[in-house]
Amino acid sequence: MFLEFFESKGHLALKSFSLVPHNDNSLLLINSGMAPLKPYFTGQEIPPRKRVTTCQKCIRTGDIENIGKTARHGTFFEMLGNFSFGDYFKDEAIHWSWEFLTEVVGLDPERLYPSVYLDDDEAFDIWNKEIGIPKEKIFRFGKEDNFWEHGAGPCGPCSEIYYDRGEKYGCGKPTCTVGCDCDRYIEVWNNVFTQFENDGHGNYTELKQKNIDTGMGLERLAVVVQDVDSLFTVDTNKALLDAVCALAHTEYQKDEKKDVSLRIIADHVKSCTFMISDGIMPSNEGRGYVLRRLLRRAARHGRILGIEGRFMAGLAKEVIELSKDGYPELEEKQAMILKVLTEEEEKFNKTIDQGLAILAGMEAEMKEKGETVLSGENAFKLYDTYGFPIDLTKEILEEKNFSVDEDGFKASMDEQKKKARAARKTTNYMGADVTVYQSIDPAITTKFVGYDRLSHQSKITVLTTETELVEALTDGQTGTVIVEETPFYATMGGQQADTGVIVTDKGEFQVEDTIALQGGKVGHVGRVVKGMFQVGETVTLQVCAARRTATAINHSATHLLQKALRTVLGDHVEQAGSYVDQDRLRFDFTHFSAMTAEEIRKVEELVNQEIQAALPVKTELMTLDEAKKTGAMALFGEKYGETVRVVRMGDFSTELCGGTHVANTSAISSFKIISESGIAAGVRRIEALTATGLMKHYEEVEKELHLAAEAAKTTPADLRKKIQAMQEELKALHSENEKLKSKLANDSLGDVMNQVKEVNGVKLLAAKVADVDMNGLRGLGDQLKDKLGEGVIVLASVTDGRVNLMATATDGAQKQGAHAGNLIKAIAGLVGGGGGGRPGMAQAGGKNPAGVDAALEKCAEVVAEQIK
């Protein structure tokens, strides 16, 4: 109803954007209808129309601890919005909000109460004089409630509309009115009038382009229309909640404690399902960590309710069923959503019992010491070893009136986060990296014309150095060239950029990189190698053909590879990233175990089969809906326009893709997987080579083989035999060497039996021997034991300035109290080292040869203490 209403008012209805912010480092997740439209508000990109309307999926995790405790809070919600970019303003926005709520939805006008910002007389007058709301029903609120701003940047006053749900939802106080904390008056609409610019120091100036940003929670409106007590009892959410109740064999609103767990599970499973559908994977940082926190919190509350086994994938099916009409991507990604949920839940189940047991031990220790705060170190141990997010630990402890030293936890985390902090860059209001490109006129765009040509003439529209826009670039300068039309492909979708040259009669610019900039501009980054370039002049752009061809070959191979992986491993395989350049291809995909040698062979075989089949590669432009009907695979995180390119390789592979490709699969020539490895939880990586790259690889391998054969003084054909013969020879030499070393050690030791002492009835031999390694000492020890009978032997030797100590005690000596390990510990310090071992045998190393005599002398004293 909302979208159709605003379409009737000249708005363009856009589909919900992904939950993953596009080019915005300031947000982890899209948290409002306005967030993905920021570039249109700031004027950095030109909107498709000046009036836009959306129903945007959002996630807010700022108050994750409150989710479940009350029926007010949820992490996932849908935000209805109507937006004006410098078109209509307060008058239309207020009139249309009133018209929609009263005439379209049919809410009782008597139960609606508008609010305005304290000083906004203009909005007050529209409500009072034009809509006809009595003055006493219009509320003026201050900055905290009715002024929207976010640091520096565009901001402005708000006008909200509250709905009176009746006394049954109220607190009963005589003072209860709009703005009261109880659930009687609920805000259903918020008009933000973006009319000022805040310089970040509280100074406001009027914006030339005034914007409207409206937000209305779909769930809140449903609460009002369906007259239910909370967002959890709106029909769709209630259906999900009922499914959780069925699993837990309980009913909602019968037991407040159970209700908390029921709400947490219903809310979190919904959020997780939507996040995974947009390509977010569980991890220990960023948005992947938000997902992991939600998942594990839900899994734990399942246990609290006594739900047996894995249950989240089953509930996700319910979410998909309830929401797929509005969000078809849920059904498209179902296999992967269920697989990720199951794997993550299983992983947590394996460690949760262990973690809970460790935490119980920590609690007992705290009680014993009379403490109520768990140390940050222990909280970090639970996080690091058992996967307990900090808020899960907090929640478990809160139930027992304990808390967590969060500062200590953060300190323990700091080490892990140092790298991330070092990598963080300066960001502007948009959350994008601040660069010279932000100053370019947003009306300037670049058209890519390189699908069917590698050379093209076009006009320069912008030149920049690294820090500013310039009119000209001259010999030796580095900078960026932007033109109207380019055959250069900018790095996108994993395909690496084209390189080449831009030339005029007198100038040459070496293009080292091609980058996609905001607002559809393409930057050619590089260096002027001769002459001068000026804005407005016509230049010839020439792409390096060899690089483009080799890159296109590798790119086309990734399409065949993806289809082959899905065929061999299953439909849960989704592309999780790729890298394609002239030398190689890398393909990341969702799969939960290492591929077997047989699976790798099958995938290679399948890809090479389709290469040999010489399939024609056809590209076609069509609408996104038409493309989906063809079964074309879409990629995560990609922002598709209304028209998309569909790349077909015979009947084998159909994918949405903006990259460059070969005309026939036979051009790929051959395909070989070089490695397969895991790079993250549930994500594997394949590195592969094709065509020339593969031939180069085999040349290298062949060269290495010839060098190895040369070193072994044989031919490649006889290399294996030669290596076997050399190994046999080495074995024989090693055996001979050990015998000689043993003989030398014996010779070096001489006759030492005259050095045997008796200590408390136990024989002790402590002797020095020259240049014998630890193996030799052990061998000598065994021989001397035979000569000595029962007793203790200690031998010391110095080789290359280092001391080796070895002690051995016979069974009889041990029975009388002798302990070789403790003996070595007691004397090793004298030779500047340390060591130890078992009662019968021990050894040590040291750096102080001067202490050998003292160490051997001390042996009698130590043995005397042991044998009493």
Side-chain angles (χ1 to χ4, degrees):
M1 285 161 75
F2 181 88
L3 295 175
E4 283 172 8
F5 173 77
F6 278 101
E7 278 182 306
S8 77
K9 304 294 184 193
H11 290 64
L12 172 67
L14 294 177
K15 282 186 178 146
S16 174
F17 292 81
S18 166
L19 285 166
V20 179
H22 186 67
N23 281 344
D24 187 346
N25 299 341
S26 70
L27 287 178
L28 270 185
L29 294 155
I30 291 298
N31 59 3
S32 70
M34 172 269 190
L37 305 173
K38 273 203 240 177
Y40 303 147
F41 280 108
T42 56
Q44 282 173 331
E45 284 189 26
I46 292 169
R49 199 181 291 176
K50 284 192 166 187
R51 298 178 180 190
V52 162
T53 183
T54 60
C55 176
Q56 174 64 42
K57 51 188 172 183
C58 304
I59 283 186
R60 284 186 189 167
T61 54
D63 54 2
I64 196 168
E65 286 81 11
N66 286 321
I67 308 297
K69 288 181 185 171
T70 73
R72 279 186 185 190
H73 297 84
T75 52
F76 178 86
F77 62 98
E78 292 167 77
M79 183 68 90
L80 299 169
N82 58 288
F83 307 93
S84 162
F85 310 110
D87 186 5
Y88 63 85
F89 203 47
K90 291 182 188 177
D91 206 55
E92 294 90 337
I94 290 173
H95 275 87
W96 289 337
S97 55
W98 187 254
E99 184 186 339
F100 179 74
L101 290 176
T102 59
E103 293 177 29
V104 180
V105 179
L107 296 183
D108 178 359
E110 291 303 313
R111 297 172 82 163
L112 292 170
Y113 294 81
S115 75
V116 296
Y117 178 54
L118 220 49
D119 307 332
D120 194 352
D121 295 334
E122 186 187 353
F124 188 94
D125 288 344
I126 296 168
W127 280 116
N128 177 230
K129 292 172 184 168
E130 295 181 30
I131 307 287
I133 308 287
K135 288 182 179 179
E136 63 277 9
K137 282 188 76 177
I138 306 169
F139 291 77
R140 288 185 187 261
F141 291 136
K143 241 186 177 183
E144 206 175 292
D145 296 302
N146 271 27
F147 195 93
W148 185 88
E149 62 184 335
H150 184 78
C155 57
C158 312
S159 175
E160 299 176 324
I161 304 171
Y162 291 82
Y163 179 78
D164 178 3
R165 302 166 72 204
E167 284 177 23
K168 63 176 172 175
Y169 294 109
C171 55
K173 291 176 190 165
T175 54
C176 182
T177 183
V178 172
C180 180
D181 278 344
C182 73
D183 289 338
R184 176 170 176 176
Y185 297 93
I186 185 170
E187 174 220 320
V188 290
W189 196 296
N190 185 11
N191 278 303
V192 179
F193 310 126
T194 316
Q195 63 188 98
F196 302 113
E197 174 81 27
N198 180 353
D199 67 358
H201 305 288
N203 302 311
Y204 300 94
T205 48
E206 282 275 338
L207 280 172
K208 281 191 201 115
Q209 177 185 297
K210 293 182 172 62
N211 304 315
I212 288 290
D213 158 21
T214 292
M216 174 166 68
L218 179 61
E219 291 86 350
R220 278 199 184 185
L221 187 62
V223 165
V224 166
V225 175
Q226 295 176 21
D227 191 24
V228 290
D229 63 351
S230 78
L231 63 96
F232 286 94
T233 38
V234 167
D235 55 5
T236 48
N237 286 343
K238 184 68 168 66
L240 179 58
L241 201 59
D242 288 344
V244 185
C245 288
L247 286 174
H249 308 296
T250 188
E251 279 182 66
Y252 186 50
Q253 292 177 329
K254 286 284 165 75
D255 173 341
E256 184 45 40
K257 209 170 178 192
K258 282 184 177 177
D259 287 352
V260 171
S261 294
L262 291 167
R263 288 192 288 261
I264 284 171
I265 295 168
D267 172 82
H268 289 10
V269 169
K270 192 171 186 180
S271 290
C272 293
T273 304
F274 273 89
M275 287 170 82
I276 298 165
S277 79
D278 279 335
I280 298 166
M281 293 283 137
S283 74
N284 274 348
E285 57 186 23
R287 56 185 74 92
Y289 185 51
V290 174
L291 174 62
R292 180 161 277 169
R293 281 170 67 191
L294 295 172
L295 252 157
R296 295 190 163 181
R297 197 165 184 247
R300 178 177 165 265
H301 280 275
R303 288 185 159 227
I304 289 172
L305 288 175
I307 299 174
E308 287 174 17
R310 297 181 314 231
F311 63 91
M312 293 181 78
L315 290 175
K317 277 186 188 167
E318 189 73 27
V319 174
I320 293 166
E321 203 47 48
L322 289 164
S323 305
K324 66 182 184 186
D325 290 350
Y327 302 98
E329 63 271 24
L330 294 174
E331 196 167 33
E332 288 163 22
K333 306 294 179 196
Q334 176 162 321
M336 199 203 63
I337 293 168
L338 304 185
K339 188 89 172 162
V340 172
L341 283 169
T342 303
E343 289 285 331
E344 183 69 11
E345 194 177 357
E346 209 158 73
K347 193 183 289 178
F348 189 44
N349 279 346
K350 276 179 191 163
T351 57
I352 189 169
D353 291 326
Q354 222 177 337
L356 288 170
I358 299 288
L359 182 53
M362 290 173 181
E363 285 168 27
E365 208 175 300
M366 284 157 69
K367 273 182 192 160
E368 213 173 284
K369 293 180 181 171
E371 293 170 356
T372 57
V373 182
L374 181 73
S375 73
E377 207 176 305
N378 277 342
F380 184 72
K381 183 183 173 185
L382 285 165
Y383 160 81
D384 208 32
T385 315
Y386 303 102
F388 277 39
I390 180 77
D391 58 309
L392 187 57
T393 303
K394 268 168 65 184
E395 189 177 318
I396 295 168
L397 289 173
E398 258 171 38
E399 290 160 11
K400 292 158 190 172
N401 297 318
F402 288 126
S403 60
V404 176
D405 171 15
E406 290 184 65
D407 291 338
F409 175 81
K410 282 177 190 142
S412 297
M413 279 286 274
D414 269 357
E415 209 47 51
Q416 290 198 2
K417 289 193 172 173
K418 264 181 196 166
K419 284 179 192 167
R421 271 205 299 275
R424 219 170 276 155
K425 298 169 185 168
T426 316
T427 68
N428 58 14
Y429 164 74
M430 280 291 297
D433 301 334
V434 177
T435 64
V436 61
Y437 307 124
Q438 246 92 57
S439 318
I440 300 169
D441 178 353
I444 290 171
T445 57
T446 311
K447 187 182 176 190
F448 176 65
V449 294
Y451 288 123
D452 56 1
R453 71 195 78 170
L454 297 179
S455 182
H456 187 67
Q457 283 200 327
S458 189
K459 196 161 84 175
I460 295 177
T461 51
V462 179
L463 290 172
T464 84
T465 62
E466 285 169 17
T467 53
E468 57 188 335
L469 301 185
V470 288
E471 282 301 305
L473 282 176
T474 60
D475 209 332
Q477 276 191 296
T478 57
T480 303
V481 178
I482 296 176
V483 294
E484 289 173 345
E485 298 181 331
T486 182
F488 280 78
Y489 185 85
T491 299
M492 216 180 299
Q495 180 174 331
Q496 297 308 291
D498 282 331
T499 58
V501 289
I502 299 174
V503 294
T504 61
D505 294 345
K506 294 174 184 165
E508 184 183 326
F509 181 90
Q510 198 76 44
V511 180
E512 290 154 9
D513 195 9
T514 310
I515 55 175
L517 300 170
Q518 270 187 326
K521 292 176 268 289
V522 172
H524 306 81
V525 182
R527 194 167 59 88
V528 181
V529 287
K530 67 169 186 185
M532 182 178 99
F533 288 83
Q534 283 179 289
V535 172
E537 74 178 317
T538 298
V539 292
T540 301
L541 299 104
Q542 183 67 53
V543 174
C544 170
R547 180 185 170 103
R548 163 71 78 84
T549 304
T551 305
I553 284 171
N554 282 332
H555 193 164
S556 295
T558 62
H559 283 228
L560 296 179
L561 172 60
Q562 178 165 2
K563 183 58 195 280
L565 285 167
R566 284 173 75 89
T567 306
V568 173
L569 302 178
D571 284 346
H572 64 275
V573 169
E574 294 273 355
Q575 181 169 337
S578 72
Y579 177 97
V580 177
D581 65 16
Q582 62 184 340
D583 300 316
R584 65 199 169 102
L585 66 96
R586 190 175 76 205
F587 189 78
D588 300 342
F589 58 100
T590 53
H591 187 55
F592 299 89
S593 56
M595 287 175 69
T596 63
E598 180 58 16
E599 284 169 340
I600 290 172
R601 189 190 62 73
K602 276 184 185 167
V603 168
E604 279 181 347
E605 209 171 76
L606 198 47
V607 173
N608 281 309
Q609 214 170 287
E610 301 308 322
I611 291 169
Q612 298 306 315
L615 306 174
V617 178
K618 298 218 168 97
T619 56
E620 209 180 323
L621 291 174
M622 54 179 82
T623 68
L624 191 52
D625 289 340
E626 285 169 344
K628 284 182 178 175
K629 280 174 197 160
T630 68
M633 290 281 297
L635 293 189
F636 283 140
E638 286 294 317
K639 201 168 145 188
Y640 292 110
E642 261 319 292
T643 308
V644 292
R645 278 179 97 245
V646 175
V647 178
R648 293 176 201 266
M649 299 187 179
D651 294 328
F652 184 69
S653 158
T654 308
E655 283 187 41
L656 296 186
C657 182
T660 63
H661 290 279
V662 294
N664 189 290
T665 58
S666 60
I668 302 169
S669 163
S670 51
F671 172 87
K672 175 81 183 154
I673 293 173
I674 299 301
S675 72
E676 189 271 352
S677 59
I679 56 161
V683 182
R684 309 291 302 170
R685 169 171 289 173
I686 276 177
E687 305 242 9
L689 297 171
T690 65
T692 331
L694 186 53
M695 289 312 291
K696 274 187 196 159
H697 170 72
Y698 284 140
E699 274 171 30
E700 287 296 318
V701 171
E702 196 179 1
K703 191 173 160 189
E704 208 53 51
L705 180 64
H706 279 285
L707 287 170
E710 201 178 300
K713 296 188 170 55
T714 185
T715 62
D718 290 330
L719 183 59
R720 194 158 62 94
K721 272 188 204 161
K722 184 68 188 256
I723 289 171
Q724 283 168 339
M726 286 162 84
Q727 281 176 326
E728 290 299 321
E729 195 180 331
L730 272 172
K731 205 170 165 186
L733 287 169
H734 180 70
S735 173
E736 198 177 318
N737 190 30
E738 287 302 309
K739 282 177 194 165
L740 285 168
K741 273 164 73 178
S742 178
K743 187 177 182 307
L744 281 169
N746 277 329
D747 294 349
S748 169
L749 185 65
D751 184 13
V752 289
M753 295 312 286
N754 57 3
Q755 294 178 36
V756 175
K757 292 179 184 171
E758 198 161 295
V759 179
N760 293 352
V762 171
K763 289 179 195 166
L764 166 69
L765 170 57
K768 187 162 53 170
V769 52
D771 264 338
V772 178
D773 64 13
M774 198 61 84
N775 277 342
L777 289 184
R778 282 197 294 265
L780 283 176
D782 289 341
Q783 289 173 39
L784 289 168
K785 263 201 293 193
D786 293 341
K787 289 184 186 176
L788 189 68
E790 293 293 344
V792 177
I793 296 161
V794 181
L795 297 176
S797 180
V798 178
T799 53
D800 298 327
R802 278 194 59 80
V803 181
N804 292 319
L805 281 179
M806 189 283 308
T808 180
T810 62
D811 291 344
Q814 286 175 56
K815 278 175 189 157
Q816 287 177 265
H819 190 296
N822 294 340
L823 171 55
I824 280 287
K825 263 187 208 162
I827 65 170
L830 295 168
V831 292
R838 300 184 308 279
M841 164 73 203
Q843 61 189 48
K847 296 174 188 166
N848 176 25
V852 167
D853 291 337
L856 292 173
E857 271 170 43
K858 195 176 178 184
C859 289
E861 185 191 317
V862 178
V863 171
E865 280 174 18
Q866 290 182 346
I867 294 154
K868 286 176 180 171

